[in-house]
Amino acid sequence: MEKLTGTIKKVLFCSDDGYCIAVLDKGQKICGTYIQTNIKKLEGEEVSLSGNWTKHKKYGEQFVFESLELMEEQLYFFLTKVVKGVGKNVAKTLTNKYSEDELVDIIENNPNTLLNIKGIKEKKLQTITNSWQKYRHLKELSLYLSKYGVTTNLISKIFEKFGAVENIVSKIEQNPYILVKIDGIGFIKADEIAKSIGIDRKSNFRIQAGMNFVLNEYCNSNGNSSISKKRLFSLLDDMMKFENENILYERCLQHQISSGEIKKTTQNRYAISMLYFAEKNIIEFFRNRQNKNRQTIINDFDNYINTKQKTFDFVLSSEQKEAVKLINTGEKTIALVGYAGTGKSTISRALLELLEEIYSYDDIRCVALSGIASQRISDTTGYNSSTIQSLLLSYENKDYFDFKVLLLDESSMVNSVMFYQIVSKIKSDTVFIVVGDDGQLPAIGAGDVLCDIVRYNLIPVCKLTKIYRQNENHAIATIANDIRVGQLPIYDKKFDDFWFENISIPNFYSQKATLSEYEFAILRDENTTKILQHILIYATKEKNILDNLIKQKKIKEFLTYFQVISPMKAGVLGVNNLNNQLQNIFNPARCKVIKLFDIEFRLGDKVIHIKNENMKAKTMSNYKENNDEFIEKRVFNGQLGLIIKLNFEDSIAVVLYPNDDLVVYYEFSELKSLLSLAYSLTIHKTQGMEYQTAIMPMSFSHFIMHNTKLLYTAITRAKTMCVVVGEQEAFKSACKRIENTKRETVIQDIYK
């Protein structure tokens, strides 16, 4: 190890995980990982580094440091850079009057002594003592965990979870698996630390932590809410690198059951307690509402329907009439399930208008997972709507919603835990209408509630099967529904709302059989480039319309007018590359940008929030009025927005979310973990959304993701035009590859 000293002149770059590049006062470039605090705070500070000089092809000679230490007292640094408002004069007075050990002892054991120092009042003293506790524990954690590759963000999360716990490092050393409760640590990282410390591989707390991890992964990553014992033990063997340790597993499983971490659902099947509780209570909710307080709304039902049909300018099918009849006879809970184009929105409006005969307009509320889906159901029915998350937040201090009618739209997207959160706040006399499409991709997260409702008739189900088309040249609904059942649709003619742009490799199968692997790979790459070029041509044609929407400040319309959808993130036709290419068309760099590795964020970019997080925000009206009043607001995964300001002086990006009446403030350091460009999105990210025009690449390079559910979901995101660009044989294959993956749920366990 070589030594290097100097003053940090400027920090050039700092990532979320603490990796930084900086320049010293003598011009030496340094790089490495520093996680004890934001390295920006070290600008102007003299440091001592240990590391080695290397020569980078692009950046030249640089010093890669293994450790970085302040040359001055840590207390002076703490007082001037970590604690806000102390100031250098007060810091100098304190460090001149006391030694570092004396000052630490005073702050921790007799802080009121500092009230005798000029410039320190009670409020400032409280700030100093609180900040010191956090700084000391964060520093202790940083020094200990940094050698295991734990990032600054994760260390902050650990601190938030455990707080200023005394001897936190020794507690981690005794049982590193306490860290698995931290989002982002998980069992594997904790296990690395445990192995370094020398924890027994067969210790009970290691097996128990591994069991919880495997169960959570199996459920939350794959959508299941329960697992068989055989499968659980098999997954444990794979992860722990054990063989035939069933006796050990059984002992730990019984411990987890007795502690309440795991629940037994049926013979030899188990679930995470939270998921067991959620799904069991969903069943109880439905059972408790059967045949309760039924009362007819309209006596002359036929006459009412005939009158309403004139208002709708639409004749209800027998299936739709059956749904209205169920509500009219006083049914409190029904499921309205239909595929694309079967009139779910029309019949939702009919049901709500019938209920308005006995309830007031304000007693009726619609709800959906995404802001865009919420806006759409409001537009199509005419009734007030909100997102599930905002509704739950606004009622978190109340036992029940105060609505008489609640309609849940896009219910296939709602996982078990969220579904339970909704029904737990519904009164016994509230009408609850569940609307969804069980042909779409299931929810992100565990559970398959809508499909289980249909499969086990948990509530009366009205199945809509008749597809409505405006005319013979409108084909999105029929094409999508053919694909849903594994049938190749008529796709190779130009409809008013669907077009397949055939960019295929001529004689695909014969060329694949005769060419070498290398030659065929070149052919594939050339064709992939052609597909990309055609997508970019379509995008360029839409640019003027999108520019005009921005000029007219129609941000909602801008966000949902044109969308490129792809099954995967990686590759030439993946979301990441498509976003970079489309950004250069729709929003070329005109001024200073934020560059984070391979992503640029620019003023005017269309973005999507990718992680549920409490954020510093303002209402749109407060932002327009330049009101300094901020609020903390939960921003949810999947919300679409527009970057409306980049403040390089304060390192802040401001994003407008028009569907949520919200303006959110992001620190530049948060952008990579919280935002993505949204010119192109994965099919999973577009669930519940609808766009005027949707374009999707079709290539054998995405074959692993091709199946009927994905393709059905993608095509039904388009409202007025769907364009599929790519290989004909890949499209045919995807149309016939029926997705039969069945989720394992607690509801299924109980009803089998």
Side-chain angles (χ1 to χ4, degrees), residues 497-501 538 693-697 718 721-725:
D497 61 352
F498 184 89
W499 172 240
F500 184 87
E501 180 79 11
Y538 276 105
T693 300
I695 294 187
M696 179 182 174
M721 187 66 191
C722 177
V723 181
V724 179
V725 182

Side-chain angles (χ1 to χ4, degrees), residues 297 301 304-305 308 312 316 319-328 331 334-336 343-359 364 381 383 405 407 431-435 462 464:
I297 298 172
F301 181 73
Y304 172 82
I305 286 293
K308 275 294 175 185
F312 293 147
L316 298 178
E319 297 167 332
Q320 292 172 324
K321 284 180 183 176
E322 186 59 34
V324 182
K325 191 179 290 184
L326 272 171
I327 292 296
N328 189 60
E331 189 66 59
I334 71 164
L336 191 63
K344 293 190 296 295
S345 297
T346 300
I347 192 58
S348 293
R349 177 185 162 195
L351 293 175
L352 298 181
E353 289 193 6
L354 171 63
L355 288 161
E356 200 180 346
E357 296 288 330
I358 55 172
Y359 302 121
I364 299 171
T381 64
Y383 290 88
V405 178
L407 184 145
V431 177
F432 183 43
I433 302 168
V434 180
V435 182
C462 296
L464 305 180

Side-chain angles (χ1 to χ4, degrees), residues 69-98:
E69 296 292 334
L70 286 166
M71 297 286 282
E72 65 183 359
E73 297 171 321
Q74 73 156 316
L75 258 296
Y76 181 78
F77 168 77
F78 161 74
L79 291 168
T80 56
K81 295 296 179 76
V82 178
V83 183
K84 292 181 180 178
V86 170
K88 291 188 176 181
N89 289 336
V90 173
K92 277 291 182 189
T93 301
L94 288 171
T95 52
N96 288 336
K97 186 175 177 64
Y98 302 107

Side-chain angles (χ1 to χ4, degrees), residues 1 61 188 202 255 315 337 406 410 445 491 529 741:
M1 287 281 180
E61 199 171 42
I188 294 170
K202 293 187 179 181
H255 176 273
V315 177
V337 182
L406 186 68
E410 297 284 1
Y491 67 93
T529 302
T741 303

Side-chain angles (χ1 to χ4, degrees), residues 114-379:
L114 299 182
L115 291 172
N116 299 321
I117 303 296
K118 185 180 178 181
I120 297 180
K121 303 294 182 187
E122 287 190 9
K123 187 174 181 181
K124 188 171 288 186
L125 178 62
Q126 190 66 45
T127 302
I128 291 172
T129 54
N130 289 345
S131 298
W132 170 251
Q133 290 301 319
K134 180 172 182 179
Y135 174 74
R136 183 170 67 86
H137 286 285
L138 274 173
K139 190 170 190 294
E140 183 185 9
L141 277 171
S142 297
L143 290 171
Y144 178 71
L145 293 175
S146 60
K147 57 181 176 282
Y148 301 112
V150 182
T151 66
T152 310
N153 284 347
L154 288 178
I155 289 169
S156 296
K157 285 183 180 180
I158 293 167
F159 182 82
E160 287 169 14
K161 177 72 176 178
F162 296 108
V165 176
E166 289 298 326
N167 303 317
I168 181 61
V169 167
S170 63
K171 291 184 187 304
I172 292 171
E173 285 182 325
Q174 288 169 21
N175 181 7
Y177 300 100
I178 63 174
L179 297 177
V180 299
K181 295 180 180 178
I182 309 298
D183 182 28
I185 294 274
F187 176 82
I188 294 170
K189 178 63 72 176
D191 207 35
E192 286 177 13
I193 298 171
K195 285 176 185 174
S196 300
I197 295 169
I199 299 292
D200 182 2
R201 290 177 69 240
K202 293 187 179 181
S203 66
N204 285 343
F205 52 70
R206 180 175 187 256
I207 304 300
Q208 288 156 15
M211 188 173 288
N212 287 349
F213 176 77
V214 163
L215 191 48
N216 273 285
E217 279 293 298
Y218 186 74
C219 292
N220 293 320
S221 297
N222 301 315
N224 306 294
S225 59
S226 71
I227 190 172
S228 69
K229 183 192 289 187
K230 182 179 179 181
R231 181 67 173 148
L232 175 60
F233 287 3
S234 172
L235 290 171
L236 274 169
D237 275 342
D238 291 342
M239 189 179 74
M240 301 266 186
K241 308 301 180 190
F242 288 156
E243 286 185 18
N244 302 319
E245 291 289 349
N246 288 2
I247 295 173
L248 175 60
Y249 296 158
E250 186 68 48
R251 184 173 70 242
C252 290
L253 176 60
Q254 294 308 315
H255 176 273
Q256 296 303 82
I257 291 170
S258 62
S259 69
E261 292 272 349
I262 294 174
K263 290 285 187 182
K264 187 173 185 176
T265 62
T266 57
Q267 186 67 29
N268 290 324
R269 290 196 66 83
Y270 302 87
I272 300 165
S273 291
M274 178 181 65
L275 296 176
Y276 175 82
F277 179 83
E279 294 199 19
K280 191 170 185 299
N281 280 278
I282 289 168
I283 293 171
E284 291 303 313
F285 169 82
F286 288 141
R287 282 177 178 167
N288 291 337
R289 292 169 64 84
Q290 291 174 2
N291 303 315
K292 279 204 171 182
N293 304 320
R294 297 183 66 160
Q295 187 175 356
T296 300
I297 298 172
I298 299 292
N299 290 319
D300 191 351
F301 181 73
D302 291 337
N303 184 52
Y304 172 82
I305 286 293
N306 290 333
T307 304
K308 275 294 175 185
Q309 285 180 151
K310 293 173 184 175
T311 305
F312 293 147
D313 193 26
F314 187 87
V315 177
L316 298 178
S317 69
S318 57
E319 297 167 332
Q320 292 172 324
K321 284 180 183 176
E322 186 59 34
V324 182
K325 191 179 290 184
L326 272 171
I327 292 296
N328 189 60
T329 57
E331 189 66 59
K332 294 293 183 186
T333 320
I334 71 164
L336 191 63
V337 182
Y339 303 124
T342 55
K344 293 190 296 295
S345 297
T346 300
I347 192 58
S348 293
R349 177 185 162 195
L351 293 175
L352 298 181
E353 289 193 6
L354 171 63
L355 288 161
E356 200 180 346
E357 296 288 330
I358 55 172
Y359 302 121
S360 74
Y361 176 85
D362 291 331
D363 281 334
I364 299 171
R365 178 61 65 94
C366 300
V367 66
L369 187 60
S370 71
I372 291 172
S374 170
Q375 185 64 53
R376 188 174 69 247
I377 192 64
S378 180
D379 292 341

Side-chain angles (χ1 to χ4, degrees), residues 15 17 52 76 114 138 150 184 189 197 214 264 272 351 424 466 473 511 561 569 655 668 688 692 704 727 735 745:
S15 68
D17 59 4
N52 291 290
Y76 181 78
L114 299 182
L138 274 173
V150 182
K189 178 63 72 176
I197 295 169
V214 163
K264 187 173 185 176
I272 300 165
L351 293 175
S424 66
K466 183 180 178 182
N473 284 320
Q511 295 220 58
Y561 178 75
K569 289 184 179 180
V655 178
F668 285 177
Q692 294 297 323
I704 193 171
E727 300 173 41
C735 290
T745 69

